Amino acid sequence: MPEQELMQTTAIARHLDGILEVEFSFLHTEAIAGELALLSADQQRFILQWTRRVASTNIQLAFEFASRAHQALEIMGDEMISAWCLHAMDIYDRSGLHPAMEVIKDLKGFVEVGHLRANAALLEQVSPVLGPFIHGLSGRKLSIEEDSIAWTDGEVLYLPEMLARLESEEENFQLYKATAVHLWAHTRYGSLNIDPRSLLAGYADQQRALQWFHVLETLRLDAHLQRNLPGLFRQMRQLQDRLGDGGWPGWLMQQAGGLQTLSSTAHDSLQLLQRLYESPPPALPCYAGEMDLVKSWEARELRLLRDQARFRDALRVMADELWGDAPEQQLPEFSLQEKDQPNDPDELPELELIVADQVMPIPEHVRQLITSIQLDLTEIPEEYLAPAGEGEYDPSLLEDETLDPDDVWGGVYHEEGAFFYDEWDFGRQHYRKDWCVLRELNLQPGDVRFYTRTREKYRGLIHSLHRTFEVLRGEDKMLRRQPDGEDIDIDAFVEALADMQSGLEMSDRVFTRMHKDERNIAVLFMVDMSGSTKGWINEAEREALVLLVESLQILGDRYAIYGFSGWARKRCEVYRIKTFEEPLDDTVKANISAIEPKDYTRMGAPIRHFTRMLEEVEARTKLLITLSDGKPDDYDHYYRGEYGIEDTRQALFEARVAGIHPFCITIDREGAEYLPHMYGRANYVVLDDVAKLPLKVSDIYRKITS
């Protein structure tokens, strides 16, 4: 559409008919076109552009937007209309068409919320900050999820989508932080370890009893936070002042003084509740959130079953590793003892695992189980220290939650250890939030003899590569214009002589000096393990990796190798072949030998995951090298073609912004058609001979690090 050209009704209808696919959707666009014809050319272009972007998500949703666009322009600016559309599409991703349609239809409601959002803190924006902060506190690792109110079940901190009670975004963020920390304190200091049936027994007004218990526990937790997080507690008091929250009444502080001692527990709150029940409970502070003791208790009961099963099964695994097939009656007993008396009574005691009077190292996942059990029961019961028998527990208690294979796209997916990544939707020109679920998996070790055979097969090439990489490692660079050195820099000397003859001061930087740079490189190889690599391609990939790692051993650079595959957005998978910390040992060689074709090639989420990994590595130069046989592809049809290419391109752009250099090595003869768009014209190579692969990698190293 020509710039600044005002369109008439017929032209607008023609554009709408194409965007909304009226030939198949049977939507009628005449009335909408008539309304848009009354707008300016800029407004027409703006509305048609957003109709197209929304239609890339859902045509019916786009039709509803277009039918309300004229009204929206009367009460909202362009920026708010854009936010309105993006919010509706995010709701569509999370909850489906009907809730998204409600967002579009409730135009005035969004305007009211939109004014609040101007100074609000949004959960989606603060979660990346709050999550690591909460994880840094002691206790169980808690996740953050959205709900209409703030509360916790002991495993998840539920927080509202938006907080806008204060005048600035920063102040509302501080309120989020205070609320999250207070909910964390519920889990850390035992507020949820009360059976609601015992709490409510004997009270005619159970709601009042619950309110009083919440008040007393909030007062008790405040004392813990004041002792252990004094800076944050001062901020919490300042938030109360800004919101006109007068704090606790004096008579309550006199009655509840015992709750502020180090030794107080939730049971002390229960006892005090009996005395205060007849009085009306005071209002809670702004950061207190809510309590749902019934749901919290149910979650605690399930968690105790799971933690006991996993802890005892972990002891079984440790016993098998230590004593193998020894008769059960001959196995030494496990016990736990406090390592040191905590300096702070608020701290959980650190426990040591004792077997046959020896201190055993405790794996991190077992230590987390111990912490979780301590939080729920204060100590580890004796029966937990008996290793589980083979098959004693239902496998569902020992395994992480997994996807329902019949539900590839829909439903809620949660798994301990899963990573959630946004995905770029080029049609809407915006990210789908937390759209992909990725897991790191281990490979079943393969036959190390494959590695040995490959070394023998390419013995001559490996010897040649060793010499090439030795040269690369030992390269000296000539530094010019130095104040001292081994030789004269002719160009610099001529310039200095000319300066002297013209009356200027002669520079003393007229020497050259050879300098050996210390290499500081980290490289991560992401290896395509999709089904299309079956046969000779898989063989070529594995042989190439053997040659690569043999060559990289000479350089001494840090490197990691991961495979990637998956099946739709909820099952993106990466496979550990070699981490940055692992040496090249028989385990890694067996992993290389075990690489085999899996499913599809959804590349965006793995690239984002590997980018995050490389960001955590200290190195001057960081490389992400893809070894693949084709373009991005997946089971769900929309990822094929332009959508997948654009998402991969955006993920690679994010990597470059993070200071990572992406490069692709492919054996897809059609790669030149799409790789320049994804990687850039100088950042890929198409090969048809595996023997060239390590040589090309050395060229990449030479080019990037010179």
Side-chain angles (χ1 to χ4, degrees):
M1 134 188 27
E3 190 173 350
Q4 303 300 328
E5 180 180 340
L6 186 66
M7 290 187 293
Q8 301 303 314
T9 302
T10 303
I12 294 172
R14 188 168 60 250
H15 281 289
L16 287 172
D17 288 352
I19 294 171
L20 301 174
E21 300 179 5
V22 297
E23 184 178 352
F24 307 102
S25 62
F26 305 107
L27 297 170
H28 297 283
T29 61
E30 297 84 359
I32 299 175
E35 288 186 343
L36 297 186
L38 303 175
L39 303 176
S40 69
D42 286 341
Q43 289 175 321
Q44 288 175 348
R45 278 198 308 279
F46 178 75
I47 295 301
L48 288 174
Q49 178 193 58
W50 272 105
T51 302
R52 187 183 307 279
R53 290 169 71 171
V54 177
S56 70
T57 296
N58 183 273
I59 288 175
Q60 189 64 44
L61 193 64
F63 178 78
E64 291 295 332
F65 162 72
S67 66
R68 288 167 173 76
H70 189 276
Q71 179 187 359
L73 285 168
E74 294 176 352
I75 60 176
M76 290 194 289
D78 290 357
E79 187 173 336
M80 187 173 284
I81 290 176
S82 301
W84 178 43
C85 292
L86 292 172
H87 181 59
M89 289 187 284
D90 287 341
I91 293 296
Y92 178 88
D93 289 343
R94 292 201 301 266
S95 306
L97 179 59
H98 180 71
M101 293 285 274
E102 291 301 313
V103 171
I104 293 295
K105 291 177 180 178
D106 187 16
L107 179 57
K108 292 182 179 179
F110 184 83
V111 171
E112 293 174 3
V113 174
H115 290 305
L116 291 175
R117 289 172 73 98
N119 297 318
L122 305 179
L123 183 61
E124 65 182 14
Q125 295 176 357
V126 304
S127 288
V129 179
L130 282 182
F133 177 77
I134 295 297
H135 287 173
L137 301 174
S138 63
R140 185 182 296 119
K141 300 301 182 185
L142 304 169
S143 60
I144 295 176
E145 294 184 15
E146 182 184 320
D147 202 350
S148 57
I149 59 172
W151 71 287
T152 181
D153 64 358
E155 298 178 24
V156 180
L157 303 184
Y158 294 97
L159 296 169
E161 174 195 11
M162 174 180 71
L163 284 180
R165 297 184 62 185
L166 292 143
E167 294 181 358
S168 71
E169 182 179 350
E170 174 59 28
E171 289 177 317
N172 285 308
F173 166 73
Q174 294 300 333
L175 183 55
Y176 257 131
K177 186 177 179 181
T179 303
V181 168
H182 216 275
L183 294 177
W184 161 81
H186 286 195
T187 73
R188 175 61 185 81
Y189 300 112
S191 297
L192 307 181
N193 293 339
I194 298 296
D195 186 341
R197 293 168 296 186
S198 64
L199 186 156
L200 299 174
Y203 292 105
D205 188 342
Q206 295 186 347
Q207 187 60 37
R208 170 178 282 196
L210 286 171
Q211 289 175 346
W212 259 119
F213 180 73
H214 194 183
V215 166
L216 296 174
E217 277 299 282
T218 300
L219 194 152
R220 186 176 71 88
L221 299 180
D222 280 354
H224 281 289
L225 295 176
Q226 186 173 12
R227 281 191 297 270
N228 298 313
L229 298 170
L232 178 63
F233 187 75
R234 285 193 295 272
Q235 291 179 349
M236 293 162 69
R237 284 287 180 257
Q238 292 169 2
L239 291 171
Q240 286 185 276
D241 292 341
R242 292 191 185 100
L243 290 170
D245 183 344
W248 301 115
W251 64 266
L252 176 60
M253 296 298 291
Q254 290 180 348
Q255 292 278 341
L259 295 181
Q260 300 182 65
T261 64
L262 279 171
S263 59
S264 65
T265 69
H267 291 281
D268 296 313
S269 294
L270 282 182
Q271 292 181 358
L272 186 57
L273 167 60
Q274 297 174 7
R275 300 207 313 264
L276 299 176
Y277 167 73
E278 296 298 337
S279 303
L284 289 160
C286 55
Y287 49 77
E290 301 289 341
M291 268 186 142
D292 191 328
L293 290 178
V294 174
K295 288 184 179 178
S296 301
W297 186 258
E298 291 173 351
R300 178 182 181 272
E301 294 291 281
L302 290 172
R303 182 170 59 249
L304 284 171
L305 288 173
R306 184 185 67 229
D307 287 352
Q308 180 184 16
R310 292 183 178 181
F311 181 65
R312 292 188 60 212
D313 192 65
L315 295 184
R316 178 189 64 79
V317 172
M318 295 173 71
D320 287 346
E321 291 175 350
L322 290 170
W323 300 290
D325 298 327
E328 184 175 345
Q329 61 271 20
Q330 297 180 12
L331 296 180
E333 293 184 352
F334 288 89
S335 62
L336 291 167
Q337 68 179 25
E338 290 189 15
K339 183 176 181 180
D340 295 302
Q341 190 69 27
N343 295 325
D344 185 347
D346 269 352
E347 293 181 8
L348 288 173
E350 184 177 353
L351 301 179
E352 293 181 324
L353 185 63
I354 308 298
V355 184
D357 297 325
Q358 298 293 319
V359 177
M360 297 292 297
I362 303 177
E364 180 58 30
H365 73 283
V366 178
R367 190 170 294 283
Q368 290 180 15
L369 286 171
I370 292 173
T371 298
S372 182
I373 297 167
Q374 286 178 296
L375 291 175
D376 285 332
L377 299 176
T378 69
E379 60 184 17
I380 311 298
E382 285 292 329
E383 60 268 23
Y384 280 43
L385 293 169
E390 190 72 41
E392 179 175 346
Y393 286 105
D394 185 329
S396 64
L397 290 174
L398 305 177
E399 298 174 358
D400 293 330
E401 295 175 47
T402 53
L403 277 173
D404 179 352
D406 296 324
D407 181 19
V408 180
W409 297 281
V412 177
Y413 179 77
H414 171 75
E415 179 184 354
E416 184 179 348
F419 299 86
F420 294 82
Y421 289 101
D422 296 348
E423 185 169 272
W424 178 255
D425 185 330
F426 82 102
R428 67 170 68 168
Q429 289 293 294
H430 195 68
Y431 288 99
R432 293 177 179 259
K433 295 183 178 64
D434 291 337
W435 190 243
C436 293
V437 184
L438 180 144
R439 293 177 299 151
E440 286 190 19
L441 304 174
N442 292 318
L443 285 172
Q444 289 294 325
D447 187 349
V448 180
R449 287 177 295 180
F450 170 83
Y451 191 99
T452 306
R453 287 197 304 269
T454 303
R455 282 195 61 184
E456 184 63 26
K457 177 180 177 181
Y458 293 100
R459 182 173 53 184
L461 177 58
I462 289 174
H463 184 66
S464 173
L465 288 169
H466 281 186
R467 291 199 305 271
T468 302
F469 276 64
E470 284 280 6
V471 172
L472 185 60
R473 182 180 65 178
E475 275 188 338
D476 287 344
K477 291 186 178 181
M478 179 180 287
L479 301 181
R480 297 184 179 278
R481 300 181 186 276
Q482 299 298 303
D484 56 69
E486 299 90 4
D487 209 345
I488 299 293
D489 185 336
I490 299 299
D491 292 337
F493 180 77
V494 170
E495 291 179 13
L497 191 61
D499 289 341
M500 185 185 69
Q501 291 175 346
S502 62
L504 299 176
E505 183 179 354
M506 182 176 177
S507 172
D508 62 349
R509 293 183 171 273
V510 294
F511 297 95
T512 62
R513 178 164 55 88
M514 301 304 292
H515 173 74
K516 181 175 289 186
D517 269 348
E518 292 294 328
R519 297 182 62 81
N520 187 8
I521 296 175
V523 55
L524 192 151
F525 295 95
M526 54 179 290
V527 182
D528 185 354
M529 290 175 58
S530 61
S532 60
T533 63
K534 187 175 182 180
W536 74 270
I537 297 177
N538 174 255
E539 185 89 358
E541 283 186 337
R542 291 188 295 157
E543 289 186 346
L545 286 174
V546 172
L547 300 180
L548 277 169
V549 298
E550 287 291 323
S551 302
L552 288 172
Q553 289 298 108
I554 300 298
L555 285 174
D557 293 339
R558 286 169 291 170
Y559 68 98
I561 306 171
Y562 284 80
F564 70 97
S565 184
W567 182 293
R569 68 180 181 90
K570 288 189 177 180
R571 215 187 80 190
C572 302
E573 296 168 344
V574 298
Y575 297 87
R576 302 182 192 94
I577 299 168
K578 180 189 176 300
T579 66
F580 282 109
E581 294 77 23
E582 287 180 294
L584 179 59
D585 55 16
D586 285 345
T587 300
V588 172
K589 294 175 182 178
N591 286 341
I592 292 174
S593 303
I595 294 172
E596 62 181 3
K598 299 287 187 181
D599 298 307
Y600 289 90
T601 323
R602 199 182 197 101
M603 293 180 67
I607 290 172
R608 293 181 174 96
H609 187 68
F610 297 141
T611 296
R612 176 186 288 183
M613 281 187 179
L614 282 164
E615 284 182 301
E616 296 175 355
V617 176
E618 292 294 333
R620 185 174 61 223
T621 302
K622 301 179 183 181
L623 309 177
L624 177 61
I625 299 179
T626 307
L627 180 59
S628 178
D629 77 320
K631 65 178 67 173
D633 187 25
D634 207 346
Y635 180 80
D636 44 2
H637 64 88
Y638 69 86
Y639 202 83
R640 297 176 178 175
E642 191 173 9
Y643 183 103
I645 288 174
E646 293 298 330
D647 175 53
T648 304
R649 181 174 186 250
Q650 185 71 12
L652 292 167
F653 171 75
E654 295 163 20
R656 284 190 287 270
V657 169
I660 295 162
H661 303 277
F663 199 93
C664 181
I665 302 170
T666 185
I667 45 183
D668 179 13
R669 292 180 176 86
E670 298 178 356
E673 298 177 7
Y674 58 87
L675 287 173
H677 182 66
M678 286 166 46
Y679 282 86
R681 294 195 175 278
N683 295 315
Y684 74 94
V685 62
V686 179
L687 297 178
D688 55 6
D689 184 356
V690 67
K692 297 178 183 177
L693 183 57
L695 292 173
K696 285 294 182 181
V697 172
S698 66
D699 289 342
I700 296 165
Y701 269 48
R702 190 182 300 273
K703 178 177 65 175
I704 293 178
T705 61
S706 61

